Amino acid sequence: MRTNKNPSEPRFLFLITKPSLQSTLLLQALKKRFYNEVTLKHCDVIDSSTIEDGDLLLFDMMSLEEQTSRQWCQDLQNCQKKFKTLLFNIPPHYHHRDIVEWPMISGIFHTETGEENLIEGIRTVCRGEKFFPKSINDYLTQQLNLSHPQWNETVDLTHREKQILSKLRQGASNIEIAHLLFISENTVKTHIYNLFKKLSVKNRTQAVFWANKYLR
């Protein structure tokens, strides 16, 4: 069973990349700073079954193909644990909308980020904060602005839709919601689709922001 030596440190940190000299050196640096509670996970092996509550997932985006990135997003969406996602080595062409689609996204580091800034960013996330560049914060503000005239402030939600929206606010995955509400995952997907349509939102993040403001 894993144990934390320091509450401010990650429970466990997965460096998800392709093995190389550079990734090995980074792994050694992370182990030195985080008490060896770090392991390298090959990015092509898409498996969230070893993830536990409190884990940090550090993805090397330069090592992920586009399809692999999408597959990881989908797999993590169904993970029932409360983890945190960090992306580093983000190439310039990687769009903001793709970044915010990652489940539990908590930290962003571009290709020019140095080792010390990366370490400090990880520690910031461990303290329960977000570590986003200004451009990402500006994008989130623009996309999640609840005063947007196209968003519906007054919506007649069913009891089940309110239950599911409440679970989304808690960060629950589709599978977790299905288990908690004793319904199928396909039924959950249908309810979420209807919710997005009613609220005039495009994704789970926007739905949660809507709920935080308007749902009592």
Side-chain angles (χ1 to χ4, degrees):
M1 183 176 180
R2 304 181 199 165
T3 58
N4 260 10
K5 298 178 179 64
N6 187 325
S8 66
E9 302 297 338
R11 181 182 177 88
F12 207 78
L13 196 158
F14 289 102
L15 173 60
I16 303 173
T17 184
K18 290 181 179 178
S20 66
L21 176 59
Q22 182 182 12
S23 62
T24 298
L25 292 174
L26 177 58
L27 180 69
Q28 293 173 350
L30 292 172
K31 284 185 175 182
K32 182 178 179 180
R33 299 298 189 94
F34 296 106
Y35 307 101
N36 294 320
E37 298 295 333
V38 184
T39 188
L40 189 146
K41 195 176 184 69
H42 200 299
C43 61
D44 290 341
V45 180
I46 303 169
D47 178 18
S48 60
S49 62
T50 57
I51 297 173
E52 297 184 12
D53 290 336
D55 286 348
L56 265 63
L57 313 181
L58 182 60
F59 284 90
D60 180 0
M61 299 306 293
M62 292 295 287
S63 67
L64 267 69
E65 300 292 338
E66 183 177 350
Q67 183 176 356
T68 305
S69 178
R70 288 198 302 268
Q71 290 174 337
W72 266 111
C73 282
Q74 293 172 359
D75 189 63
L76 293 176
Q77 191 64 64
N78 293 322
C79 181
Q80 300 181 33
K81 302 300 182 179
K82 300 295 186 290
F83 55 89
K84 294 182 179 180
T85 302
L86 301 93
L87 310 180
F88 79 105
N89 272 345
I90 294 181
H93 64 270
Y94 201 71
H95 199 279
H96 289 352
R97 65 171 176 267
D98 298 318
I99 292 175
V100 298
E101 286 299 321
W102 281 83
M104 310 294 182
I105 187 69
S106 300
I108 299 297
F109 308 92
H110 291 295
T111 51
E112 66 272 15
T113 302
E115 181 181 305
E116 288 302 318
N117 286 337
L118 176 63
I119 298 295
E120 180 56 34
I122 294 174
R123 294 198 187 282
T124 298
V125 172
C126 291
R127 293 194 295 267
E129 304 173 38
K130 305 291 186 182
F131 194 89
F132 294 143
K134 184 178 183 300
S135 60
I136 296 294
N137 276 327
D138 291 344
Y139 178 80
L140 287 173
T141 300
Q142 180 185 13
Q143 294 296 311
L144 303 175
N145 185 356
L146 293 176
S147 64
H148 195 292
Q150 294 181 359
W151 284 36
N152 294 331
E153 298 182 15
T154 304
V155 181
D156 185 18
L157 300 177
T158 67
H159 176 66
R160 180 65 82 190
E161 288 170 344
K162 290 179 180 179
Q163 285 182 313
I164 291 179
L165 190 52
S166 177
K167 299 304 179 187
L168 290 179
R169 294 172 75 181
Q170 298 170 19
S173 66
N174 289 353
I175 289 180
E176 188 172 9
I177 294 173
H179 289 168
L180 291 170
L181 300 182
F182 303 102
I183 56 179
S184 71
E185 186 180 359
N186 284 336
T187 301
V188 172
K189 291 179 180 178
T190 299
H191 282 306
I192 290 178
Y193 173 81
N194 291 334
L195 268 173
F196 287 1
K197 191 174 181 180
K198 282 187 176 182
L199 304 180
S200 297
V201 300
K202 297 181 180 180
N203 52 49
R204 299 164 80 97
T205 306
Q206 290 186 347
V208 168
F209 273 76
W210 184 97
N212 288 340
K213 184 174 181 67
Y214 298 117
L215 186 65
R216 296 188 178 184

